[in-house]
């Protein structure tokens, strides 16, 4: 049984309880982060912490714990749950004022709810998807307009994953005004004429921590990058395609809406990017 963290205490998962009036439960009024653990070390913790601060600030919430405090909790969860490879999930909500109301409760009298737990994933580094690639479908992007805030409002991404599952695909890329925004839980890329193409940062996409690292490492490796919109049609005609996220790292996309990308196998640039990302990230893990 896992040990989880809840509002200052480490307790067995079956003893963790939150008020039914918590705004995270009633209104999805909360944010989250997921940090990968490789060989008992945290990948890009600094980036996840800074994005957490930004998400909270955009929702007029404070950061209830210091970076050092959160790092300590992450490490204790790794130790208590013997996590070698896996994930640490962190969620902060606006808390419970003891009743349901659309108006924000007074933060002076309503403490935030902080939840953290671990997930063991021993095949995190050698996921079958990284070897074979994934098949995706395209769907309309019907989310709210502030996707740059990592909120717990994940109903439509969940629907998107189920739409993909129903047609034996692995995931979905969302499309708005004719252009790909991102995957249901990842950033989207294509490679064309040897150039990495991905949508530029805006309120329309999550500012991925893995995205930032991958683009930085690609630039250091003298790979050409172009941040611009691209369509599903352009993606189908690309040389390669891939996704990035904290839990999938760099994963090839080999098919879109039933049509193979190139020869339907992971491409060499994508495979090289995954190698570079993992090598460099593990070097700086804490």
């Amino acid at each position: 049984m896992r040990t989880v963290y809840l509002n200052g205490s480490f307790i067995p998962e079956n003893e963790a309880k939150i008020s039914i009036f918590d705004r995270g439960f009633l209104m999805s009024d909360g944010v989250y982060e997921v940090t990968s653990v490789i060989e008992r070390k945290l990948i890009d913790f600094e980036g996840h912490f800074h994005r957490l601060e930004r998400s909270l600030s955009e929702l007029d919430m404070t950061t209830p714990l210091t970076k050092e405090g959160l790092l300590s909790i992450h490490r204790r969860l790794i130790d208590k749950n013997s996590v070698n490879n896996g994930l640490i999930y962190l969620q902060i909500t606006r808390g419970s004022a003891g009743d349901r109301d659309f108006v924000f409760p007074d933060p002076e009298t309503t403490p935030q709810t902080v939840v953290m737990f671990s997930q063991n994933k021993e095949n995190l580094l050698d996921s079958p998807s990284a070897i074979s690639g994934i098949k995706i479908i395209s769907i309309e992007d019907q989310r709210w307009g502030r996707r740059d805030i990592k909120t717990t409002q994940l109903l439509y991404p969940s629907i998107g994953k189920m739409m993909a599952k129903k047609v034996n695909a692995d995931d979905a890329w969302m499309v708005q005004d004719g252009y790909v925004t991102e995957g249901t839980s990842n950033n989207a890329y294509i490679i064309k004429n040897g150039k990495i193409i991905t949508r530029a940062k805006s309120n329309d996409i999550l500012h991925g921590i893995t995205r930032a690292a991958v683009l930085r490492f690609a630039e250091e490796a003298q790979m050409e990058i172009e941040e611009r919109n691209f369509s599903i049609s352009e993606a189908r005609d690309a040389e390669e395609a891939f996704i990035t996220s904290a839990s999938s790292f760099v994963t090839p996309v080999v098919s879109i809406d039933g049509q193979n990308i190139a020869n339907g196998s992971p491409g060499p640039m994508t495979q090289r990017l995954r190698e570079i990302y993992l090598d460099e990230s593990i070097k700086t893990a804490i």
Side-chain angles (χ1 to χ4, degrees), residues 16 28 35 57 66 73-74 79 102 111 137 178-179 183 209 216 218 244 281:
S28 293
T35 304
S57 176
T66 65
I73 298 167
H74 277 70
D79 289 341
F102 279 86
I137 61 170
Y179 296 104
I209 303 306
R216 183 174 72 252
T244 65
S281 296

Side-chain angles (χ1 to χ4, degrees), residues 4 27 53 94 104 126 134 139 165 176 214 217 219 233 239 250 272 276:
V4 302
M27 310 243 180
E53 285 190 309
R94 209 179 298 271
F104 292 171
D126 54 358
I134 63 171
I139 62 174
K165 184 176 180 180
Q176 177 177 283
V214 167
F217 296 146
E219 189 172 23
S233 177
E239 296 151 14
V250 179
R272 180 60 182 143
I276 293 171

